[in-house]
Amino acid sequence: MLIDWFTVGAQTLNFIILVWLMKRFLYQPILHALDAREKHIATELANADAKQAEAQRERDEFQQKNKEFDQQHAALLRQATDEAKVERQRLLDEARKAADDLSAKRQERLRNDARNLNQVISLRAQQEVFAIARKVLTDLATTSLEERMGEMFAHRLQEMDGEAKAGLAEALKTKSDPALVRSAFDLPAEQRATIQNALNETFSAEIRVRFETAPKLISGIELSTNGLKVAWSIADYLASLEKGVGELLQEKDIPVTKADTQPEEPQS
Amino acid sequence: MRLSPDEIIFWQHGFLKLNATILFTWGLMFVLTVGAKLITRNFSTGLKRTRWQNLVEIIVSAIEKQIEDVGLSHPRNYLGFLGTLFLFVAVASLCTVIPGYEPPTGSLSTTAALALCVFVAVPFFGIKEQGVGNYLKSYMEPTFIMLPFNLISEISRTLALAVRLFGNMMSGAMIIAILLTITPFIFPIVMTMLGLLTGMVQAYIFSILAAVYIAAATRVRKSKPEPEAQNIEA
C-alpha cells in the first residue's frame, strides 16, 4: 500500500504548521519590509514632487519678479530720460534767458554808457563852449559874457515878432505878480538894468521883474510869465550839439546789439 | 525495491509511527523556518539592503506576482498557502543533491496530504470570497446536470495533483537508483540535475494549479470556467 493514512494525517498537520511558520517568519516580515520601503519611496517621491513644485513655484515667482523689475526699471529709465529732457530744456531755456538778460543788460549798460558819455560830452562841450565863448567875448569886446548875454537877451526881446510880442505883453499886463527872470548866474545890477530897460522899451510899460538864479539854465537867461517864456541860452546850441553826438553814438550801438542777440545753438 | 520513504520506519507504536517521510519533512520545516528567521532577522525597511534580503524579496514578489497573474485579485491572502506549497515542494526537490536524503514529496502519503490541503483550501477560499450559497451554486454551472461531473472533476483533479507530484518525484529517485546500479559514475549526476529541474517544474505546476483552482472557486459567477487550468493540466 503506497498510502499510509497516518503519514497523510501527519503530513497534513506538518504542512499546516509549516504554512503558519512561513507566514510568521518569512512572508510577514518580507511583506512588511516591502510595504515599508514602498511607503518610504512613495513618501520620498511625494516630497520630491512637492519640492519640485515648490521650486517651480519659486522659479515662476522669481521670473515674475524679474519681469516686474525689468518693467519697473524700464519705466524708471523712461521717466528719468523724460525728466532729463525736460530739465535739459528748462536749463537751456534758462541759459538762453540768462544770455538774453545778459545781452539786454549789456545793451542797457552800453546805452547808459552812451548816455553818460553824451552827458559828459555835453557838459564838457558846454564848459568848453562857455569857456571859449567867454574868452572870445572877453578878448574881442572886453565885456564879460554875462554882459553879452544880457545884451543878447535884450536884443532878442526887442526883435520878437509881433504875435509873440503881443501875447507876452498881454500876459505881463494881466499878471499881477512880477515876471520872473531866471539866469544861470547872478546878474549884476547893470545887466538887470539893461534887461529891465529892454522890457520897458519893448512893451512900452513899466514891467515888474523878479530876478532868480537857476544853474540848470546853462549860461542863459529866461523870462517867464503866466505860462509864456522868452529865453536865450547856450543850452540851445548845446542841444543841437548833443543831438549830433547822440546820433553818432546810436549808429555805433546798432551793430553791437545785433551781435549780442545772436541765438545760441542748443547742445544735444 | 522501495517506492516510498514511508517504508523506512524508525519507530512504531501501534498506529503511531515515525518514518523517513515525517522525519525529512520535519527537517525541511526546520531548515525553512530557521532559514527564514535568519534571513529576516536583520531586514531593513530602507533603500539599502543585503543581497540575501534582495533574493528573498525577489522570490516572494515573484510568487505574489504569479498568484496575481493567475487571476487572484488579492494575492496576499493566498500567499501563505500557495507560497508555502511552492517552497516546500521546491526545497524538497532541491535537497535531493544531499546524499542519503529522501524527498518527502516522493511519498504518495505526502503528496496526498498536500492535495487534500488543496482540496480543502479551494472551498475554504471560495466560500470565504463568495459565500456558501454562491459557492455551492458554482457546482451547478452551467446547468444542474453538470453537478456530478463537477464533483467528479473536483475529486479527480485532487487525485491527479497527488499522483502527478508523487509520480514525478518517485520516478526521479527511482531512475537515479536504477542508474546507480548500471552506470554508477557520470550518468546519475546528469539525471540528478535533470531531477532538480523536474522538481522545480513540479513545484511550479503544483502551486500554480492550486492557485488556478482557488481562483476558479473565488471568481465571480458570471465569468467563464478557466481555460488556463485545462491547458496546464493537459
Side-chain angles (χ1 to χ4, degrees):
Chain A
M1 184 64 180
L2 284 174
I3 292 183
D4 175 32
W5 289 108
F6 171 76
T7 310
V8 170
Q11 288 295 74
T12 307
L13 190 68
N14 279 341
F15 181 72
I16 290 166
I17 291 168
L18 184 64
V19 168
W20 181 81
L21 285 172
M22 286 291 102
K23 264 191 176 177
R24 169 78 180 74
F25 291 113
L26 189 68
Y27 302 125
Q28 272 177 5
I30 288 174
L31 292 176
H32 173 70
L34 285 175
D35 288 348
R37 187 173 305 122
E38 257 178 36
K39 201 175 167 188
H40 182 66
I41 290 169
T43 311
E44 285 201 346
L45 281 176
N47 282 345
D49 282 350
K51 276 181 186 165
Q52 200 175 2
E54 174 74 8
Q56 183 64 36
R57 194 183 61 72
E58 279 182 4
R59 187 164 159 267
D60 290 348
E61 194 181 317
F62 175 73
Q63 277 180 344
Q64 179 66 25
K65 275 188 182 168
N66 229 359
K67 205 172 159 189
E68 279 173 12
F69 175 73
D70 282 349
Q71 285 172 349
Q72 215 173 353
H73 180 248
L76 280 175
L77 194 66
R78 204 161 44 238
Q79 193 186 344
T81 311
D82 292 348
E83 279 176 4
K85 269 185 190 167
V86 170
E87 182 66 13
R88 178 172 166 271
Q89 193 56 45
R90 193 183 64 76
L91 286 175
L92 271 177
D93 290 348
E94 261 182 21
R96 204 167 279 148
K97 191 166 170 287
D100 288 350
D101 287 352
L102 200 65
S103 173
K105 272 183 191 165
R106 198 158 59 182
Q107 282 182 20
E108 182 63 29
R109 200 168 59 235
L110 273 173
R111 270 195 292 279
N112 284 341
D113 285 353
R115 211 174 294 127
N116 290 341
L117 193 62
N118 276 355
Q119 283 177 357
V120 170
I121 288 169
S122 303
L123 203 63
R124 286 289 299 274
Q126 175 191 337
Q127 285 167 352
E128 288 298 322
V129 166
F130 191 70
I132 289 166
R134 182 191 298 274
K135 184 140 178 47
V136 168
L137 288 170
T138 311
D139 286 353
L140 290 180
T142 62
T143 54
S144 68
L145 181 61
E146 286 78 9
E147 282 171 8
R148 188 67 194 135
M149 268 181 201
E151 283 169 17
M152 278 302 294
F153 183 68
H155 185 64
R156 179 163 284 191
L157 280 174
Q158 284 160 357
E159 282 185 352
M160 274 172 74
D161 52 11
E163 199 177 331
K165 199 172 170 180
L168 195 58
E170 184 64 29
L172 285 169
K173 280 171 186 168
T174 53
K175 192 92 169 31
S176 55
D177 294 341
L180 183 65
V181 173
R182 291 162 62 187
S183 60
F185 44 84
D186 275 339
L187 288 171
E190 287 173 24
Q191 294 288 329
R192 290 186 180 186
T194 309
I195 291 167
Q196 184 69 59
N197 288 339
L199 281 168
N200 293 349
E201 280 172 23
T202 307
F203 300 109
S204 313
E206 186 63 28
I207 305 295
R208 286 183 298 132
V209 172
R210 185 163 58 88
F211 289 94
E212 206 172 84
T213 306
K216 279 186 181 174
L217 278 175
I218 315 173
S219 301
I221 299 169
E222 161 190 290
L223 168 70
S224 61
T225 181
N226 204 20
L228 293 173
K229 191 165 85 176
V230 176
W232 180 89
S233 110
I234 294 173
D236 294 343
Y237 301 109
L238 287 176
S240 68
L241 177 64
E242 197 177 348
K243 197 182 169 193
V245 173
E247 280 172 1
L248 187 70
L249 285 170
Q250 218 164 14
E251 278 171 16
K252 274 185 183 175
D253 270 355
I254 291 164
V256 175
T257 312
K258 274 185 182 171
D260 280 351
T261 53
Q262 281 288 327
E264 287 177 33
E265 283 296 316
Q267 290 175 359
S268 56
Chain B
M1 193 73 191
R2 195 180 69 238
L3 284 177
S4 164
D6 288 3
E7 293 167 21
I8 308 169
I9 297 167
F10 298 107
W11 174 85
Q12 186 160 19
H13 181 77
F15 185 64
L16 302 174
K17 63 182 110 174
L18 184 64
N19 55 30
T21 306
I22 297 172
L23 205 66
F24 282 123
T25 303
W26 285 352
L28 286 178
M29 284 166 71
F30 179 76
V31 168
L32 279 170
T33 309
V34 171
K37 185 68 193 162
L38 282 177
I39 288 168
T40 58
R41 188 181 48 184
N42 292 322
F43 246 42
S44 93
T45 54
L47 291 177
K48 283 190 174 179
R49 51 199 184 272
T50 60
R51 292 177 185 179
W52 277 110
Q53 183 179 346
N54 221 5
L55 178 68
V56 172
E57 281 182 8
I58 288 169
I59 292 170
V60 171
S61 307
I63 294 172
E64 197 180 356
K65 182 76 175 34
Q66 198 66 53
I67 293 169
E68 199 175 9
D69 286 349
V70 166
L72 291 164
S73 50
H74 303 291
R76 291 199 175 180
N77 295 343
Y78 314 102
L79 183 65
F81 179 70
L82 295 173
T84 308
L85 262 183
F86 175 78
L87 282 181
F88 178 68
V89 178
V91 174
S93 304
L94 282 176
C95 287
T96 50
V97 293
I98 299 167
Y101 167 82
E102 293 278 346
T105 45
S107 148
L108 189 59
S109 305
T110 309
T111 58
L114 294 179
L116 275 175
C117 286
V118 175
F119 182 76
V120 174
V122 167
F124 173 76
F125 286 119
I127 289 166
K128 195 178 166 190
E129 198 75 25
Q130 309 191 58
V132 185
N134 282 336
Y135 176 73
L136 290 179
K137 269 183 197 168
S138 70
Y139 282 102
M140 292 189 280
E141 294 287 338
T143 61
F144 70 92
I145 302 168
M146 294 301 287
L147 177 64
F149 300 104
N150 279 331
L151 289 174
I152 291 166
S153 153
E154 197 78 12
I155 294 161
S156 66
R157 75 186 185 189
T158 307
L159 193 66
L161 265 182
V163 175
R164 185 189 301 110
L165 181 59
F166 164 70
N168 275 286
M169 298 314 292
M170 185 271 286
S171 64
M174 194 67 67
I175 285 166
I176 292 163
I178 293 166
L179 283 174
L180 273 172
T181 60
I182 302 168
T183 56
F185 197 51
I186 304 290
F187 209 58
I189 297 174
V190 179
M191 287 313 289
T192 307
M193 287 166 71
L194 194 63
L196 285 179
L197 182 68
T198 313
M200 292 307 292
V201 171
Q202 286 309 314
Y204 178 74
I205 288 174
F206 198 96
S207 47
I208 210 78
L209 279 177
V212 167
Y213 298 153
I214 291 169
T218 56
R219 199 167 292 178
V220 187
R221 284 181 60 203
K222 281 177 185 174
S223 57
K224 292 175 184 175
E226 64 295 336
E228 237 176 312
Q230 308 291 337
N231 291 340
I232 293 169
E233 264 182 295

